[in-house]
Amino acid sequence: MKRFVMGLGALAFAALLIGALLEPLPVSVDLRAAVTNNMASSGVEHPVTAVLLNFRGYDTLLEIAVLLLALIVILAVGIDTASDQPRTVNPILQTLARVAAPLVIVVAVYLLWAGAFRPGGAFQAGAVLAAAAVLLHLTGLLPSWQVPTRTLRWGLTAGFLIFLAVAAGLLSQGALLHYPPAQAGMLILLIEAGLTISLGLILAGLFLLLSREPGDDA
Amino acid sequence: MSSGLLFACVGALLFAMGMAGVMLIAHLLRRILAFNVMGSGAFLILVGLTQRNDVPDPVPQAMVLTGIVVAVAATALALALVRRLHALTGQLELPADDT
């Protein structure tokens, strides 16, 4: 009975939502013109990167903070379940992973660089890096993480700290993350490089910390 | 109907399905999956609705990109909490309300 009522309610909600979506949007919601008119001062050529790192840089700063927070909470929660069966490792898979890992790093650097003028950027590059780490872990080449070492901690926080330092350094410009147009391109590349490393490590950490095995808690 | 609007309507359906799942399903892993379906629906609405004449608006796209990464982090956090709950109680469902 409860399921039936809930299903009916969800269906009614969806119908209501679609009805609202079919109403034409007011013209004032369109932000494309605002973005296009300011592209020249953004330091990059791709509109999505310009919005992410320049016009709405504040969102991205908070985003990397949220990611870091999630990782810290996962570390704080701790894991002590008995879960994994011994992993059978296929040597062919291992060899392929060894070959793929360097290529994946090249792809990540390319994505980071391409973000300035075509789809790409720090998030995609970081996700690709994290995928490489997960691949290596699943093929048994990379052990799961225990408590992060000092170097790893710096790597995890580098993106956030670089972003924060740039934001603090530019406070004299009047607004948060208001880059001077001449240096905007360089600053965005610097921030994105830091973000790529940190995002890759954090996303990989979300997986590698969660796959910690019991008993080897250092 | 433009393709963007079609995406938005599918997004609305996904959102409603995910919402029903979050409220109905007791198993926590499946509930997390339902929550992700709900999030995907919201992303589809944001990206689809703001396309006009099939030209996308970069601002909602950037918002969705941010949202996807945050959703991944939230999912990982939820999974960590579920694993902790499983380690402590041996169950994958929340204890029933006493009221």
Side-chain angles (χ1 to χ4, degrees), chain A residues 145-164:
Chain A
W145 290 0
Q146 305 304 321
V147 180
T149 60
R150 185 182 292 269
T151 324
L152 192 52
R153 284 178 204 196
W154 279 112
L156 288 168
T157 49
F160 182 56
L161 292 181
I162 290 174
F163 210 153
L164 209 57

Side-chain angles (χ1 to χ4, degrees), chain A residues 73-87:
Chain A
V73 174
I74 287 177
L75 276 171
V77 166
I79 287 145
D80 51 9
T81 74
S83 65
D84 289 302
Q85 62 274 31
R87 191 170 280 132

Side-chain angles (χ1 to χ4, degrees), chain A residues 72-132:
Chain A
I72 290 170
V73 174
I74 287 177
L75 276 171
V77 166
I79 287 145
D80 51 9
T81 74
S83 65
D84 289 302
Q85 62 274 31
R87 191 170 280 132
T88 52
V89 180
N90 186 331
I92 297 175
L93 205 57
Q94 272 197 344
T95 312
L96 273 178
R98 273 184 221 275
V99 173
L103 293 177
V104 168
I105 292 175
V106 174
V107 170
V109 174
Y110 169 73
L111 277 176
L112 170 64
W113 180 254
F117 49 90
R118 55 167 60 202
F123 297 99
Q124 290 86 335
V128 167
L129 276 185

Side-chain angles (χ1 to χ4, degrees), chain A residues 30 32 63 67 80-81 210, chain B residues 52 55 66 69 73 83-84 87:
Chain A
D30 198 353
R32 277 172 300 174
E63 172 191 5
L67 276 173
D80 51 9
T81 74
L210 279 175
Chain B
R52 284 203 185 81
V55 181
T66 307
V69 179
R83 274 190 72 160
R84 185 72 185 161

Side-chain angles (χ1 to χ4, degrees), chain A residues 6 10 13-14 17-18 21-22 25-26 30-32 35 47-48 51-52 63 67 73 77-81 83 123 210, chain B residues 5 8-9 12 15-16 19-20 23-24 49 52 55-59 61-62 65-66 69 73 76-77 80-81 83-84 87:
Chain A
M6 281 295 304
F13 178 75
L17 207 55
I18 289 174
L21 291 179
L22 291 177
L25 280 181
D30 198 353
L31 293 169
R32 277 172 300 174
V35 172
V48 174
V51 171
L52 269 179
E63 172 191 5
L67 276 173
V73 174
V77 166
I79 287 145
D80 51 9
T81 74
S83 65
F123 297 99
L210 279 175
Chain B
L5 205 55
C9 291
F15 188 89
M19 191 176 63
M23 287 194 260
L24 284 175
L49 195 61
R52 284 203 185 81
V55 181
D57 187 339
V59 177
Q61 286 213 347
L65 195 55
T66 307
V69 179
L77 181 54
L81 291 174
R83 274 190 72 160
R84 185 72 185 161

